[in-house]
Amino acid sequence: MIDQVGSGIRRMFQTQRDRFFPLPDFVLDETEQRQPRVEVIISGQVLDAKYTQLLMKRADLDLRQVLLLDRVQKKRPLSADQAKQLRAMKLIEGRSPNYFVSAKVAEWTGQRASYIRNKGLDDDYYRKLVTDYLKKYGQATRKDMDELLLAKLPEVLDDAQKAHKIRNLLQAMRRDNLIHRTGPKMSAVWRLGVGPVADQS
């Protein structure tokens, strides 16, 4: 599929761009145990039409930047240098490995809602959800907290990261004496205010 004069790989990228398809992924294997080889993965459908159209039409993006943004679209990892380049151009936000397109890119592509879901809301919003719940119902288990908060957390986080975020939020609220936990850890419940002295250790 790729000719031997060096132009084939670039042509494959250009063809995918022209067809508004996601760009191919190349894996270079240069291990000592075998001959060097190149593996290519070609996606046959558009993952996000508007986003892909951005990659095709932005005259201010060169091919390298297009390739890196395509990796963000596919949720593939970026190196520190790659992320630094895209950050410098204000094209991505987030922390490694959970990068997402910036507000500027979301504005270009009409993805404002998706940007907000990826960026998430500030902790004050999550804290208010917790305190409002506890004012209404008096107490909550961790399962209750998960049901309350999971759907509100950034989409860019995986399940383990979301669970970690909720745990950190509850512990921070506990340290600030906004809520306290009672009972054995596996069956503990959360309530408003400062708990017994023993609970604060």
Side-chain angles (χ1 to χ4, degrees):
M1 293 178 66
I2 301 175
D3 61 45
Q4 298 183 12
V5 298
S7 63
I9 290 178
R10 184 177 184 87
R11 185 182 305 128
M12 292 182 73
F13 279 115
Q14 190 61 52
T15 300
Q16 290 292 91
R17 291 186 70 182
D18 293 343
R19 297 166 65 198
F20 292 88
F21 282 171
L23 301 176
D25 290 311
F26 285 88
V27 179
L28 302 178
D29 187 346
E30 299 179 312
T31 57
E32 295 180 1
Q33 290 78 13
R34 56 186 172 189
Q35 293 292 324
R37 70 187 184 92
V38 178
E39 176 183 328
V40 62
I41 301 171
I42 302 174
S43 300
Q45 61 183 14
V46 176
L47 301 181
D48 185 322
K50 288 185 178 179
Y51 186 88
T52 306
Q53 288 167 11
L54 160 68
L55 300 182
M56 308 311 142
K57 295 180 178 179
R58 293 300 303 188
D60 51 340
L61 298 179
D62 62 28
L63 181 59
R64 174 175 169 74
Q65 292 150 1
V66 167
L67 297 178
L68 294 180
L69 282 173
D70 191 67
R71 292 187 69 82
V72 174
Q73 179 197 26
K74 296 172 181 174
K75 301 189 182 304
R76 298 189 182 278
L78 298 176
S79 70
D81 287 342
Q82 291 168 340
K84 182 178 180 181
Q85 178 187 352
L86 294 183
R87 279 190 187 282
M89 297 182 66
K90 303 189 184 310
L91 296 175
I92 61 168
E93 297 180 24
R95 298 178 181 176
S96 176
N98 302 309
Y99 297 115
F100 54 93
V101 297
S102 67
K104 176 171 71 172
V105 176
E107 179 73 23
W108 291 344
T109 59
Q111 294 178 317
R112 298 179 189 90
S114 177
Y115 169 77
I116 292 298
R117 290 195 300 270
N118 279 322
K119 185 175 179 61
L121 303 162
D122 62 41
D123 281 354
D124 288 342
Y125 173 80
Y126 300 124
R127 288 180 177 225
K128 187 173 189 309
L129 287 178
V130 171
T131 55
D132 285 352
Y133 186 101
L134 294 177
K135 286 175 185 176
K136 179 72 173 177
Y137 298 107
Q139 66 181 41
T141 65
R142 174 57 193 266
K143 182 173 183 249
D144 295 328
M145 292 298 183
D146 287 348
E147 291 176 352
L148 176 68
L149 297 171
L150 280 175
K152 308 291 186 183
L153 294 177
E155 291 182 353
V156 72
L157 301 180
D158 62 27
D159 290 344
Q161 291 166 330
K162 288 180 179 180
H164 187 70
K165 169 74 174 176
I166 292 175
R167 182 170 61 251
N168 286 347
L169 175 74
L170 295 176
Q171 293 304 326
M173 293 180 70
R174 181 187 184 194
R175 288 192 298 271
D176 292 342
N177 295 324
L178 296 173
I179 61 175
H180 67 279
R181 188 182 68 205
T182 60
K185 186 173 183 181
M186 298 303 295
S187 58
V189 296
W190 293 91
R191 294 184 172 88
L192 284 173
V194 181
V197 173
D199 186 53
Q200 302 303 308
S201 60

